[in-house]
């Protein structure tokens, strides 16, 4: 049992990666829409590239969306509306009319009373011939209307034959004016307002039911293809009826392949492909980014971001596939480049796009656009902490999207007459969403404990609490750190390393000297040297401990691990040579390990640069009567000695880059000592 537990503990990092790999694979497969993929790829208006295609089974030729929409629109336009009619209301209205008329118009006040009465009754008879609506309805005048009395069809008319209160008033006014009774118009309107009642109401349930019955009768197909029939020949143009037949076969094929019989096999195949893609990422990390591979937090971070992009794209496709280009997929390479490097960012982006190719429509077009946009992102975005750079890069990415989409549209359609301008708007929205990468990077820094150039810029401020404390307690060390930072930044720029990272590392590399500042010569202003009272071994231990103390202080102030790496490695495993030589004068058999820094050796270009610059800057203070020749020999001597001791064996730095760094250091030191060119005598 103990052996199993120990084995588990020793391999827990690898076991975690396996669990992460499997869970991510299954989750991605779960997110994929449950529909098959047609094995042939074709585009409207382009030649059929595969061999001649024969129908593999009987299938129906489905109508296009436009055809179905047209049929449904015609049915909706021609579908009748049903109204309930109450015939008893007419008799009630006529009785009320007679009583109200006699009370308003009396013989002593009105002439031709009988004629006026007859006009009103005639108007009411016309009005209630079909009925008065209870409210205004937004139907066309020629819309067919069916009147129901006690749920039985009574009469079939057009909608314009039904009256409303306003239409009846209008007709009444016209009739009174034409009959010479315009003076009685106001009194007659009063009567109408009091007696007129609606007797026709819309029967929504029957109307909707009748419409739905007609819509259900619409056939989704307009023909069928028999098994074995030739669908399309090789190099034949995919257009018109051929295109519709192919789309029907595609839909039928996808529905059949996802039958219960084949479902498990297809899921298994999807799992294999997704697992293969994720495995390529892990192999890439193991071969080219071992430091990332060994860090489970960083591996989790990469998988999480890929999964997030797939999740967002899947949600958008499930909602409406036409919005697929709104998803800011270029956020992925931006984030990975900010925390790692461009090569890793592009590799992960390409794998993510390949996985999304399973589920997006027009997969080739989508993958081409996204991969090109990802390459542009990697090539254009530099120094992300500068806001202008991000805006410029996002503008370039958006422009690439628009140009590439325009080219694809012209290839597919052959013209620009039907180009969809709203798609360009989606690319602009995608660009605006990409700007969210700045706050996203900040969130990731807090969640995953990573560090980006934005954080490095904040740490490079010499007014930070830790650097101010360093300048107060160890002013000489602080000044030394500033000089090293300038040298290291110039060297990093020369060979294309991360200048911001190496500058921050240089500023903090000697913070451990704050614990015992007077034991370091740059802080000794009184002329008293505490080492005079210590043995060489004790002095070496104090000097070596500034690395360990620096790591402890850095952790106390929550400095990122990438910065702490500079503190650990800036002396590598070199000797404290002064005290080692001093002790060796008295004891030839001394143990070298007592005078060695604990390491590790530098394992990146940046940490190697810091080691060179730190040693050169510190030793340059001992130069007497410096000249160009002395400085050149001095720089060569120090760096060559570090190379001979194997301090750069773990760093991915070349001889050519080291020579470039030497050149920078020689020029910088010459400027510091204000040397002029030495002319020959």
């Amino acid at each position: 049992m103990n052996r199993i537990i120990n084995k588990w503990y020793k391999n827990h990092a690898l076991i975690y990666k396996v669990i992460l790999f499997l869970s991510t694979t299954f989750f991605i497969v779960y997110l994929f829409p449950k529909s098959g993929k047609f094995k042939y790829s074709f585009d409207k208006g382009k030649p059929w590239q595969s061999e001649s295609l024969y129908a593999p089974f009987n299938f129906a030729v489905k109508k296009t969306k436009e055809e179905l929409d047209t049929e449904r629109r015609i049915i909706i336009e021609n579908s009748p509306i049903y109204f309930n009619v109450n015939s008893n209301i007419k008799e009630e209205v006529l009785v009320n009319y007679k009583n109200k008329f006699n009370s308003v118009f009396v013989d002593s006040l009105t002439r031709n009373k009988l004629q006026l009465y007859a006009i009103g009754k005639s108007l009411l008879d016309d009005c209630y011939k079909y009925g008065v609506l209870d409210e205004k309805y937004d139907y066309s005048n020629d819309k067919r209307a069916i009147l129901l009395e006690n749920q039985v069809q009574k009469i079939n008319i057009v909608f314009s034959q039904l009256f409303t209160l306003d239409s009846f008033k209008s007709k009444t006014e016209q009739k009174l004016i034409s009959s010479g009774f315009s003076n009685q118009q106001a009194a007659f309107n009063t009567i109408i307002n009091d007696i007129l009642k609606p007797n026709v109401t819309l029967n929504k349930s029957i109307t909707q039911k009748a419409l739905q019955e007609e819509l259900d009768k619409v056939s989704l197909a307009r023909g069928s293809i028999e098994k074995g029939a030739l669908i399309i020949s090789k190099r034949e143009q995919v257009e018109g009826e051929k295109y519709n037949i192919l789309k029907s076969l595609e839909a039928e094929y996808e529905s059949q392949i996802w039958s219960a019989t084949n479902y498990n096999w297809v899921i298994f195949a999807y799992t294999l492909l997704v697992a293969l893609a994720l495995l390529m990422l892990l192999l890439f990390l193991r071969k080219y980014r071992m430091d990332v591979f060994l860090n489970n937090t960083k591996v989790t971070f990469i998988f999480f971001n890929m999964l997030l992009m797939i999740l967002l794209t899947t949600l958008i496709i499930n909602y409406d596939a036409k919005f697929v280009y709104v998803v800011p997929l270029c956020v992925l390479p931006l984030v990975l480049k900010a925390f790692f490097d461009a090569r890793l960012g592009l590799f992960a982006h390409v794998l993510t796009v390949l996985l999304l190719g399973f589920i997006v429509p027009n997969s080739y077009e989508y993958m081409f656009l996204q991969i090109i946009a990802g390459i542009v992102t990697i090539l254009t975005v530099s120094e992300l902490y500068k806001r202008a750079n991000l805006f410029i890069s996002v503008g370039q990415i958006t422009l690439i999207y628009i140009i590439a989409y325009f080219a694809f549209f012209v290839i597919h359609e052959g013209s620009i007459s039907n180009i969809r301008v709203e798609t360009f708007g989606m690319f602009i929205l995608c660009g605006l969403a990409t700007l969210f990468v700045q706050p996203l990077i900040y969130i990731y820094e807090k969640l995953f404990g990573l560090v980006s150039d934005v954080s490095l810029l904040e740490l490079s401020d010499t007014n930070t609490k830790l650097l101010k404390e360093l300048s107060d307690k160890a002013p000489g060390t602080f000044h030394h750190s500033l000089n090293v930072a300038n040298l290291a930044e110039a060297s990093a720029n020369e060979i294309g390393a991360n200048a911001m990272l190496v500058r921050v590392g240089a500023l903090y590399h000697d913070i451990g000297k704050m614990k015992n500042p007077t034991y370091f010569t740059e802080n000794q202003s009184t002329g008293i040297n505490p080492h005079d009272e210590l043995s060489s071994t004790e002095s070496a231990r104090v000097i070596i401990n500034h690395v360990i103390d620096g790591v402890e202080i850095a952790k106390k102030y929550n400095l990122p691990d990438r910065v702490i790496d500079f503190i650990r490695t800036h002396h590598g495993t070199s000797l404290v040579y002064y005290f080692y030589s001093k002790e060796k004068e008295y004891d030839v058999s001394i143990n070298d390990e007592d005078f060695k820094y604990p390491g590790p050796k530098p394992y990146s270009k940046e940490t190697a640069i810091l080691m060179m610059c730190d040693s050169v800057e510190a030793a340059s203070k001992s130069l007497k009567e410096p000249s160009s020749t002395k400085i050149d020999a001095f720089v060569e001597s120090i760096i060559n000695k570090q190379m001979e001791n194997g301090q750069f064996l773990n760093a991915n730095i070349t001889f050519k880059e080291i020579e470039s760094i030497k050149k920078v250091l020689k020029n910088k030191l010459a400027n510091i000592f204000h040397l002029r060119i030495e002319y020959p005598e």
Side-chain angles (χ1 to χ4, degrees):
M1 186 66 182
N2 288 335
R3 188 192 304 173
I4 295 173
I5 294 173
N6 290 334
K7 196 169 184 180
W8 174 277
Y9 180 77
K10 288 179 181 178
N11 297 291
H12 73 279
L14 182 60
I15 293 170
Y16 174 82
K17 290 183 182 68
V18 172
I19 295 172
L20 177 67
F21 169 78
L22 293 175
S23 58
T24 306
T25 300
F26 293 139
F27 191 66
I28 290 174
V29 173
Y30 173 77
L31 287 176
F32 280 177
K34 299 302 181 285
S35 60
K37 293 291 288 184
F38 191 44
K39 60 183 176 180
Y40 298 102
S41 178
F42 60 93
D43 293 303
K44 188 176 183 181
K46 297 181 71 175
W48 177 257
Q49 298 296 335
S50 304
E51 295 297 326
S52 298
L53 178 63
Y54 296 87
F57 43 73
N58 297 335
F59 67 94
V61 180
K62 296 185 177 181
K63 295 177 183 176
T64 64
K65 184 178 182 299
E66 292 75 17
E67 289 174 329
L68 291 172
D69 288 344
T70 301
E71 284 190 37
R72 290 180 179 125
R73 180 174 50 79
I74 292 172
I75 288 173
I76 292 171
E77 289 175 355
N78 295 331
S79 177
I81 44 178
Y82 290 81
F83 291 96
N84 294 326
V85 180
N86 187 346
S87 301
N88 298 328
I89 290 179
K90 178 181 178 182
E91 299 301 325
E92 181 184 342
V93 169
L94 290 176
V95 171
N96 290 338
Y97 168 67
K98 183 177 180 180
N99 296 334
K100 191 71 176 177
F101 184 87
N102 290 330
S103 65
V104 173
F105 297 102
V106 294
D107 291 336
S108 60
L109 298 176
T110 308
R111 295 180 301 170
N112 301 323
K113 178 180 176 181
L114 292 176
Q115 184 181 354
L116 182 60
Y117 178 82
I119 290 172
K121 187 174 183 305
S122 174
L123 288 169
L124 288 173
D125 287 336
D126 289 343
C127 176
Y128 282 99
K129 180 179 179 180
Y130 301 115
V132 179
L133 292 165
D134 59 338
E135 60 179 275
K136 288 185 178 181
Y137 294 98
D138 188 20
Y139 294 116
S140 60
N141 288 332
D142 58 349
K143 183 77 171 174
R144 193 156 59 95
I146 296 177
L147 303 184
L148 304 173
E149 189 168 2
N150 298 325
Q151 300 297 315
V152 178
Q153 182 171 330
K154 179 181 177 184
I155 194 169
N156 196 331
I157 60 173
V158 294
F159 181 70
S160 60
Q161 291 178 282
L162 295 171
F163 280 86
T164 62
L165 184 60
D166 291 339
S167 63
F168 182 73
K169 283 183 179 180
S170 176
K171 186 173 181 180
T172 301
E173 290 172 3
Q174 294 174 7
K175 186 67 175 177
L176 291 176
I177 292 171
S178 63
S179 302
F181 290 101
S182 57
N183 292 335
Q184 280 73 39
Q185 185 175 324
F188 208 85
N189 282 341
T190 302
I191 296 173
I192 296 303
N193 287 335
D194 290 341
I195 67 165
L196 198 65
K197 291 183 179 180
N199 69 331
V200 176
T201 57
L202 177 66
N203 191 320
K204 291 183 179 180
S205 62
I206 295 180
T207 301
Q208 289 296 330
K209 184 178 179 181
L211 174 60
Q212 193 59 49
E213 286 177 356
E214 292 299 318
L215 291 175
D216 291 342
K217 293 178 183 178
V218 175
S219 174
L220 299 178
R222 51 182 171 77
S224 62
I225 301 294
E226 297 295 325
K227 180 180 179 180
L230 177 65
I231 295 176
I232 192 168
S233 302
K234 187 175 182 178
R235 302 197 180 281
E236 190 177 350
Q237 206 77 0
V238 180
E239 56 187 0
E241 186 63 16
K242 296 286 184 183
Y243 178 75
N244 294 333
I245 293 173
L246 285 170
K247 292 299 289 184
S248 299
L249 176 60
E250 181 181 34
E252 188 69 23
Y253 181 89
E254 291 175 356
S255 64
Q256 286 196 18
I257 197 172
W258 280 88
S259 62
T261 308
N262 300 328
Y263 183 85
N264 293 333
W265 278 108
V266 176
I267 288 290
F268 176 71
Y270 262 145
T271 304
L272 283 180
L273 291 174
V274 173
L276 188 62
L278 295 179
L279 182 61
M280 292 303 103
L281 177 60
L282 288 175
L283 291 176
F284 172 86
L285 294 176
R286 191 174 186 278
K287 185 172 180 62
Y288 298 106
R289 300 292 182 272
M290 181 57 77
D291 58 323
V292 177
F293 180 79
L294 295 175
N295 190 319
N296 282 340
T297 301
K298 293 179 179 179
V299 176
T300 305
F301 176 75
I302 296 168
F303 274 64
F304 173 79
N305 277 275
M306 292 176 64
L307 192 59
L308 180 63
M309 291 296 107
I310 293 172
L311 174 63
L312 287 176
T313 306
T314 305
L315 292 175
I316 290 294
I317 289 174
N318 290 339
Y319 173 72
D320 193 338
K322 70 180 181 181
F323 296 115
V324 69
Y325 286 113
V326 174
V327 180
L329 206 63
C330 288
V331 165
L332 178 61
L334 274 173
V335 167
L336 296 183
K337 184 180 179 183
F339 289 114
F340 304 109
D341 59 84
R343 189 176 176 186
L344 174 56
L346 183 59
F347 192 86
H349 176 73
V350 170
L351 286 180
T352 305
V353 172
L354 290 176
L355 291 174
L356 290 174
F358 288 125
I359 61 174
V360 296
N362 300 320
S363 56
Y364 176 76
E365 174 187 317
Y366 177 85
M367 289 192 293
F368 184 91
L369 261 65
Q370 296 294 5
I371 290 175
I372 288 294
I375 293 172
V376 171
T377 302
I378 293 297
L379 294 178
T380 58
V381 175
S382 60
E383 297 178 326
L384 196 59
Y385 56 88
K386 295 181 180 178
R387 289 170 293 179
N389 288 357
L390 179 61
F391 279 97
I392 293 169
S393 180
V394 166
Q396 292 171 332
I397 294 167
T398 306
L399 182 62
I400 291 297
Y401 270 130
I402 292 173
I403 292 172
Y405 174 78
F406 175 81
F408 268 105
F409 187 87
V410 172
I411 291 171
H412 290 164
E413 302 293 332
S415 68
I416 61 172
S417 56
N418 297 323
I419 198 163
R420 294 182 288 275
V421 180
E422 61 268 19
T423 306
F424 297 142
M426 292 180 196
F427 291 135
I428 294 172
L429 285 175
C430 177
L432 294 175
T434 305
L435 294 174
F436 183 69
V437 71
Q438 283 282 22
L440 188 63
I441 287 173
Y442 176 78
I443 293 169
Y444 281 154
E445 286 178 337
K446 300 304 178 186
L447 288 177
F448 292 91
L450 301 172
V451 59
S452 68
D453 284 352
V454 180
S455 293
L456 291 176
L457 181 65
E458 294 173 356
L459 290 171
S460 67
D461 184 3
T462 54
N463 288 317
T464 59
K465 184 178 179 181
L466 184 54
L467 290 180
K468 284 184 74 68
E469 186 178 346
L470 177 64
S471 66
D472 292 338
K473 291 184 177 180
T477 299
F478 178 71
H479 186 261
H480 159 73
S481 298
L482 287 176
N483 290 337
V484 173
N486 292 331
L487 293 174
E489 185 176 20
S491 301
N493 284 326
E494 182 68 21
I495 65 170
N498 190 334
M500 179 62 70
L501 176 61
V502 76
R503 179 175 182 82
V504 172
L507 288 173
Y508 291 90
H509 79 283
D510 270 344
I511 55 173
K513 292 181 179 180
M514 286 194 296
K515 194 166 184 180
N516 297 299
T518 56
Y519 283 85
F520 300 91
T521 55
E522 66 265 25
N523 300 312
Q524 294 171 359
S525 57
T526 60
I528 299 173
N529 190 346
H531 288 288
D532 294 340
E533 300 176 3
L534 301 176
S535 68
S536 297
T537 305
E538 290 172 329
S539 294
R541 183 52 47 197
V542 171
I543 299 299
I544 290 170
N545 281 345
H546 89 272
V547 173
I548 300 169
D549 295 337
V551 172
E552 291 177 355
I553 293 170
K555 288 182 177 180
K556 178 183 176 182
Y557 281 83
N558 296 318
L559 290 185
D561 287 341
R562 290 177 77 185
V563 177
I564 296 176
D565 288 341
F566 287 90
I567 301 173
R568 288 194 180 102
T569 61
H570 74 278
H571 285 296
T573 56
S574 59
L575 286 167
V576 183
Y577 195 74
Y578 176 80
F579 293 108
Y580 173 76
S581 301
K582 190 176 178 181
E583 181 67 17
K584 203 165 187 179
E585 291 177 2
Y586 301 101
D587 185 4
V588 180
S589 62
I590 62 171
N591 186 2
D592 293 358
E593 296 300 321
D594 294 337
F595 294 85
K596 274 188 177 182
Y597 285 98
K601 296 176 181 179
Y603 47 82
S604 67
K605 288 182 182 179
E606 289 77 16
T607 51
I609 289 170
L610 178 61
M611 173 179 270
M612 290 184 248
C613 295
D614 180 45
S615 300
V616 168
E617 202 285 332
S620 68
K621 298 294 186 290
S622 63
L623 278 174
K624 297 177 181 178
E625 299 180 0
S627 64
S628 296
T629 306
K630 281 186 178 181
I631 288 174
D632 290 354
F634 166 77
V635 171
E636 291 285 346
S637 172
I638 290 178
I639 297 179
N640 287 343
K641 189 173 182 180
Q642 290 174 337
M643 292 171 65
E644 289 170 7
N645 291 335
Q647 296 299 324
F648 306 136
L649 290 178
N650 297 334
N652 59 336
I653 191 166
T654 64
F655 286 114
K656 183 179 179 181
E657 289 170 337
I658 292 174
E659 291 301 318
S660 298
I661 293 169
K662 287 179 182 177
K663 184 178 177 182
V664 170
L665 293 176
K666 291 170 185 176
N667 291 335
K668 287 288 182 181
L669 288 178
N671 291 332
I672 290 171
F673 289 112
H674 306 290
L675 298 179
R676 295 181 178 273
I677 299 172
E678 294 183 2
Y679 294 99
E681 296 180 0

